[in-house]
Amino acid sequence: MSSTKQPWGNTVDVEFSDDIAFVYFNRPDKKNCMSPTLNREMFATLHALELDDRCKVVVLTGRGAAWSAGMDLKEYFRETDNESDAFKMRIREEAAAWQQIKLRNHAKPTIAMVNGWVFGGAFTPLTSCDLAIASDDATFGLSEINWGILPGGNVTKSVADTMGQRNALYYIMTGETFDGKKAAAMGLVNESVPAKQLGKRVRELAKVLMGKDPVVLRAAKEVFKRVRYMDWETANDYIYAKSDGSQHRSGGEFRHGAMKAFLDDKKLKPGLDTYKKDDGKGSKKAASPKKSGK
Ligand code: COA
């Protein structure tokens, strides 16, 4: 299904290219900081893209010089300081709804394409994306401590999950900035590349993801995100249940075709290549992962 009613076009924008939906934080004059309006528009956009056939992979990026400068200090904080508790809770829920629920559990694979400033609240959508590629010259900072709050909106949990205790506490407590290379070294992003190569590398990665069985790919990322909080026995049962469920829903064609190509036709080495339905061969050129081990 292709959606005709588009919820983006204001604080969020979308461009479709080669089956990728490039979703933009679209407030470049405000360094793409996240207002209550943006939070609502982003939820609606991501929700719509789940059923939009023009989108096989979501790439979240920013217009202009910023990926996102975090929560909007004016519209999200100061202008709501005197609102009711119920109102404040409502805007927190709307932020969490897209950053921590819709994006984190998105039906399509998601890649953060990090092109500039990334501050505070922006760490939550960053870590909710399945994968992240940064420009070497991107600038990250847990700036909350610099203006008198602690990293809320689950930013603290985001960095505890990705950066490790020493790094996370260092940046939480100092508010110092770091660049894309450091973000990659800490595991906050998968890779950092020179700015000129950012778009190319993200497209390359998106193409790899598009070569997989989409139903199984979705189940694989859901499983990873949930088993971390389960005990061993529960996780083992859950993984088998999801595996069986995803084979049932996908029809198992990809799996059977790949096994035939490997075991019978000897045309595929699944350790090295992705099965490609059309020719039963490994699709080395189209969808082979980078040989970097990442
Ligand atoms: N909230 C509200 N407004 C913001 C913002 C934010 N998080 N980040 C940037 N803006 C606004 C600025 O107020 C300015 O608005 P104005 O043109 O109406 O004066 C505009 O965006 C441009 O920002 P400016 O500070 O002039 O750009 P810069 O290139 O000199 O600096 C930053 C860029 C990102 C370093 C700086 O804007 C900044 O420190 N932002 C706050 C980052 C932060 O602490 N975020 C955490 C929030 S949880």
Side-chain angles (χ1 to χ4, degrees):
M1 177 196 114
S2 270
S3 161
T4 46
K5 205 173 162 210
Q6 299 178 344
W8 56 86
N10 178 26
T11 59
V12 174
D13 201 9
V14 178
E15 285 171 6
F16 295 97
S17 172
D18 298 332
D19 292 327
I20 303 169
F22 288 87
V23 178
Y24 290 88
F25 292 105
N26 193 37
R27 303 180 72 207
D29 53 329
K30 298 289 176 189
K31 307 298 177 206
N32 298 323
C33 64
M34 294 175 279
S35 61
T37 304
L38 183 144
N39 291 335
R40 285 190 282 273
E41 199 174 333
M42 193 62 94
F43 182 93
T45 296
L46 293 171
H47 195 57
L49 289 176
E50 287 188 325
L51 298 184
D52 195 317
D53 292 338
R54 295 170 294 179
C55 166
K56 291 195 169 55
V57 174
V58 170
V59 171
L60 183 59
T61 192
R63 283 249 191 263
W67 194 72
S68 169
M71 303 313 286
D72 188 318
L73 271 70
K74 184 167 174 271
E75 292 186 36
Y76 186 82
F77 290 103
R78 193 165 69 183
E79 287 181 357
T80 62
D81 275 352
N82 296 322
E83 294 287 350
S84 66
D85 182 64
F87 184 89
K88 280 187 242 182
M89 293 305 285
R90 169 63 61 86
I91 62 167
R92 285 182 186 180
E93 280 169 18
E94 287 172 346
W98 85 264
Q99 296 176 352
Q100 300 179 40
I101 300 172
K102 181 55 70 181
L103 178 61
R104 190 173 160 74
N105 300 296
H106 203 271
K108 313 281 173 74
T110 55
I111 304 172
M113 182 167 100
V114 184
N115 55 305
W117 302 113
V118 185
F119 285 108
F123 278 63
T124 302
L126 172 65
T127 55
S128 285
C129 287
D130 301 322
L131 303 171
I133 310 289
S135 170
D136 288 343
D137 60 6
T139 302
F140 301 75
L142 294 168
S143 56
E144 288 90 340
I145 204 70
N146 295 341
W147 61 279
I149 68 165
L150 59 77
N154 257 345
V155 169
T156 296
K157 185 164 173 55
S158 299
V159 295
D161 273 3
T162 50
M163 284 165 52
Q165 177 170 327
R166 289 285 172 230
N167 289 315
L169 276 174
Y170 183 87
Y171 290 106
I172 285 171
M173 295 174 75
T174 65
E176 286 177 17
T177 59
F178 53 92
D179 65 11
K181 286 183 182 170
K182 179 74 181 172
M186 292 189 293
L188 179 62
V189 300
N190 295 89
E191 292 169 38
S192 170
V193 296
K196 278 188 184 161
Q197 292 168 26
L198 183 62
K200 182 172 174 285
R201 177 63 190 128
V202 166
R203 283 174 182 274
E204 198 176 81
L205 180 58
K207 203 167 179 183
V208 171
L209 300 174
M210 283 184 227
K212 315 298 181 190
D213 181 325
V215 175
V216 177
L217 190 62
R218 180 179 182 178
K221 71 178 202 173
E222 285 172 354
V223 159
F224 173 80
K225 289 174 186 183
R226 305 220 164 94
V227 297
R228 307 178 76 195
Y229 307 106
M230 293 178 187
D231 62 50
W232 275 84
E233 287 77 13
T234 313
N236 194 40
D237 271 357
Y238 175 77
I239 292 168
Y240 271 127
K242 286 291 275 191
S243 178
D244 291 348
S246 63
Q247 289 304 318
H248 176 72
R249 285 185 7 251
S250 76
E253 193 188 338
F254 191 106
R255 177 175 178 270
H256 291 304
M259 286 202 295
K260 181 173 180 300
F262 177 50
L263 298 174
D264 304 331
D265 304 339
K266 311 283 183 196
K267 286 178 175 169
L268 172 71
K269 301 283 181 197
L272 305 175
D273 297 327
T274 298
Y275 169 67
K276 200 170 164 208
K277 192 167 89 178
D278 298 343
D279 57 13
K281 294 176 195 163
S283 53
K284 200 165 193 164
K285 275 188 196 140
S288 194
K290 231 178 89 171
K291 303 282 186 286
S292 64
K294 284 177 181 148

